[in-house]
Amino acid sequence: MEESYKRLLTGNKKWSAEKLKQDPDFFRNLTLGQNPEYLWIGCSDSRVPANEITDTKSGQMFVHRNIANMVVHTDMNLLSVLYYAVDVLHVKHIIVCGHYGCSGIIAAMENKDNGFVNNWLRNIKEVYEKHITELEAISDIKSRENRLVELNIHEQVHNLAKTRIVQQAWKKRQLQIHGWVYGFNNGLITDLNVMMDEISDLEPIFRYDL
Ligand code: CO
C-alpha cells in the first residue's frame, strides 16, 4: 500500500518553504498571537475548506466545523469555540456557511438508519418539521434539498442569537451573525441576507434579561 499520508508531510514542507520565501517573518508573526475578525461555522465536508474558499490566511479566521454546520445548544465543543471567539478574541462577525449538496442535509431528509449519526441529524429533522409545509410544496427533490440547506443555515444563525454568549456581547458591542451558502457549481458563496446584529432580531421568548 502506498503510504498516502506521507504526501501531507511533503506538502507541508513545500508550503512552509513557499511562505518563508514570500515573507521571511511569516511564522515569527504567527508566534505573536492571533487577532481574527471572523468566526466561521461550516460543514466538515472536505470540499468546503474555510480559508481556501474565502482566500483568507493563517490568523484571519477562527474556525469550527461539524456535519451540516450545526449550532446545537448542548454541544460543549461549539459553545467553547463560540465563547472563546466572542469573549476573548472579540470577533466582529460570525459566519454560518452551509453548502448545497450537503450529505448531512440529504441524509436527514431520508428515513435510512445512519447509526450513531442519527443523533446529530435529528437536529436537522427538527428544522425540516418546522418548515414542512414550505418544503413539501416543493416537488423537485433537489430543489427541496437546496431549500432545506438554506433554512438550516437560517435556523443556525438564530440558534447563535439564542445563546447567552451572543446576547451578552450585543449588550456591549457590535457583533454580526451572517448566514451564507456555498455552491460547488461555481465556487461562489451567496449571502442569504439573514443577518442578525441585535436582540430585537430574536423572538422575544429567547431573550434574556442581562
Ligand atoms: Co455538508
Side-chain angles (χ1 to χ4, degrees):
M1 190 187 82
E2 198 224 335
E3 298 192 87
S4 66
Y5 74 92
K6 283 187 177 163
R7 63 172 289 209
L8 303 186
L9 301 171
T10 316
N12 168 255
K13 279 199 189 81
K14 185 169 159 265
W15 175 81
S16 160
E18 272 166 20
K19 287 287 156 193
L20 282 174
K21 206 171 123 195
Q22 286 162 13
D23 176 7
D25 291 326
F26 185 81
F27 296 108
R28 199 175 308 139
N29 287 338
L30 292 182
T31 64
L32 302 176
Q34 60 171 333
N35 188 23
E37 255 185 77
Y38 319 97
L39 165 61
W40 174 276
I41 299 173
C43 185
S44 295
D45 195 305
S46 61
R47 299 165 295 177
V48 195
N51 287 113
E52 201 175 322
I53 66 172
T54 54
D55 195 24
T56 47
K57 302 186 190 77
S58 303
Q60 292 187 314
M61 198 151 66
F62 206 61
V63 173
H64 179 82
R65 291 169 69 181
N66 61 41
I67 294 173
N69 40 272
M70 303 299 288
V71 175
V72 177
H73 75 283
T74 51
D75 178 357
M76 288 297 289
N77 187 350
L78 178 277
L79 292 173
S80 303
V81 168
L82 178 66
Y83 174 81
Y84 193 76
V86 171
D87 265 56
V88 181
L89 298 173
H90 303 116
V91 297
K92 296 188 179 80
H93 303 272
I94 305 175
I95 295 144
V96 177
C97 187
H99 65 103
Y100 295 120
C102 183
S103 317
I105 299 288
I106 296 166
M109 286 176 70
E110 297 168 351
N111 295 98
K112 205 177 122 226
D113 175 25
N114 286 289
F116 184 78
V117 187
N118 288 348
N119 299 297
W120 191 254
L121 300 180
R122 157 82 188 275
N123 297 294
I124 307 168
K125 287 183 184 287
E126 306 278 0
V127 179
Y128 186 96
E129 198 194 16
K130 190 171 171 181
H131 300 277
I132 194 160
T133 316
E134 179 186 342
L135 288 166
E136 297 198 347
I138 306 169
S139 52
D140 176 57
I141 199 74
K142 197 73 219 159
S143 306
R144 193 187 293 178
E145 272 171 28
N146 289 346
R147 187 59 188 143
L148 183 57
V149 164
E150 295 169 357
L151 290 168
N152 184 55
I153 294 162
H154 192 178
E155 201 67 33
Q156 305 321 313
V157 167
H158 273 254
N159 283 344
L160 284 165
K162 291 173 189 172
T163 65
R164 188 181 189 278
I165 299 167
V166 165
Q167 292 183 24
Q168 188 81 55
W170 276 341
K171 279 203 69 169
K172 295 180 277 191
R173 64 180 182 89
Q174 292 238 304
L175 175 66
Q176 297 188 336
I177 312 172
H178 308 267
W180 292 357
V181 65
Y182 173 74
F184 298 137
N185 56 330
N186 56 9
L188 294 176
I189 293 170
T190 306
D191 188 340
L192 294 175
N193 294 315
V194 293
M195 199 267 280
M196 296 179 85
D197 65 352
E198 55 186 13
I199 197 141
S200 59
D201 292 339
L202 187 66
E203 298 80 0
I205 189 67
F206 293 108
R207 298 176 196 164
Y208 296 113
D209 296 325
L210 296 170

